[in-house]
Amino acid sequence: GDSVTQTEGPVTLSEGTSLTVNCSYETKQYPTLFWYVQYPGEGPQLLFKVPKANEKGSNRGFEATYNKEATSFHLQKASVQESDSAVYYCALGPWGSALGRLHFGAGTQLIVIP
Amino acid sequence: EAAVTQSPRNKVTVTGGNVTLSCRQTNSHNYMYWYRQDTGHGLRLIHYSYGAGNLQIGDVPDGYKATRTTQEDFFLLLELASPSQTSLYFCASSDGGDTQYFGPGTRLLVL
């Protein structure tokens, strides 16, 4: 079935260091790929999405490339800030009869130390 | 931007108790969703709906009922609550495209 696997957290980094959160997926479809971010005490919110293979999405200094061959969508940021501390979710969907549904990974908590 | 509200924000009940979680969205979205969030599992879909009177089963539906009374309102019902249903519950809405807008969550504790 369809699934998403991402870096297990928590990931603890010092301010100014680089971030990579790995995301791998399995599907027989051609989904849109997403990164959502959840700040403490809030619901998840869209960080960015990429609907097409081999394209890159970005927002707030974060970026990820839709790699269809490797079935990956790794999240990267060159220099993290304390305000980036949050939980990050990789997701895929929707398609066909499952229109409207998204499949989420387990989430990766990022802790940035000032 | 989509506005999704949930009530109550916190709820404590006892095993066997009856609980209703409420969700309202005010952006005329067709799709609404109920998720539970647990450490190590992320967001898991319980039920969803694509319009008033419609209900679709998600991935973890056991022990939960849901009802969509209007386009705006989606309710999650736990008729015999169990400690395993202690969780953080999120409601979300979308227009059937791909971006889902989440509410602030309801924290439920079943003693």
Side-chain angles (χ1 to χ4, degrees):
Chain A
D2 304 307
S3 66
V4 176
T5 303
Q6 58 182 104
T7 300
E8 186 172 339
V11 173
T12 304
L13 296 174
S14 298
E15 249 185 347
T17 59
S18 64
L19 168 72
T20 298
V21 179
N22 291 330
C23 173
S24 298
Y25 65 90
E26 291 187 21
T27 182
K28 295 182 179 179
Q29 308 297 331
Y30 300 92
T32 295
L33 298 179
F34 305 78
W35 277 103
Y36 277 76
V37 58
Q38 182 180 16
Y39 297 106
E42 300 181 8
Q45 58 184 273
L46 180 68
L47 185 57
F48 59 84
K49 63 186 179 185
V50 180
K52 293 184 179 179
N54 303 317
E55 293 189 352
K56 179 186 289 187
S58 64
N59 189 18
R60 304 180 197 176
F62 292 90
E63 63 180 30
T65 298
Y66 187 156
N67 189 327
K68 184 174 181 292
E69 288 70 31
T71 62
S72 68
F73 191 53
H74 304 321
L75 181 69
Q76 296 180 310
K77 188 174 186 181
S79 176
V80 296
Q81 301 173 341
E82 189 178 4
S83 57
D84 294 327
S85 295
V87 178
Y88 293 83
Y89 286 98
C90 183
L92 71 152
W95 57 84
S97 61
L99 188 66
R101 280 206 53 170
L102 297 181
H103 288 267
F104 287 88
T108 301
Q109 183 182 11
L110 171 65
I111 301 169
V112 180
I113 301 171
Chain B
E1 185 166 331
V4 181
T5 56
Q6 296 182 233
S7 63
R9 295 294 312 277
N10 294 281
K11 177 71 176 180
V12 180
T13 190
V14 295
T15 300
N18 194 325
V19 176
T20 298
L21 307 184
S22 302
C23 177
R24 168 165 284 197
Q25 56 93 5
T26 58
N27 278 328
S28 302
H29 285 167
N30 291 324
Y31 284 79
M32 295 185 74
Y33 312 82
W34 278 108
Y35 293 90
R36 60 177 292 173
Q37 184 182 52
D38 305 286
T39 302
H41 294 281
L43 292 161
R44 292 184 289 176
L45 183 65
I46 304 171
H47 291 297
Y48 66 110
S49 165
Y50 55 74
N54 176 266
L55 183 64
Q56 302 293 314
I57 295 173
D59 298 324
V60 289
D62 292 347
Y64 302 96
K65 293 184 178 179
T67 181
R68 181 88 175 271
T69 55
T70 65
Q71 187 177 36
E72 295 78 18
D73 298 304
F74 195 30
F75 301 92
L76 186 67
L77 294 77
L78 293 71
E79 295 183 332
L80 287 171
S82 72
S84 65
Q85 294 176 307
T86 292
S87 188
L88 180 57
Y89 291 88
F90 285 101
C91 177
S93 73
S94 80
D95 61 4
D98 44 26
T99 301
Q100 295 187 11
Y101 298 88
F102 286 79
T106 293
R107 192 169 295 277
L108 175 65
L109 174 61
V110 184
L111 299 173

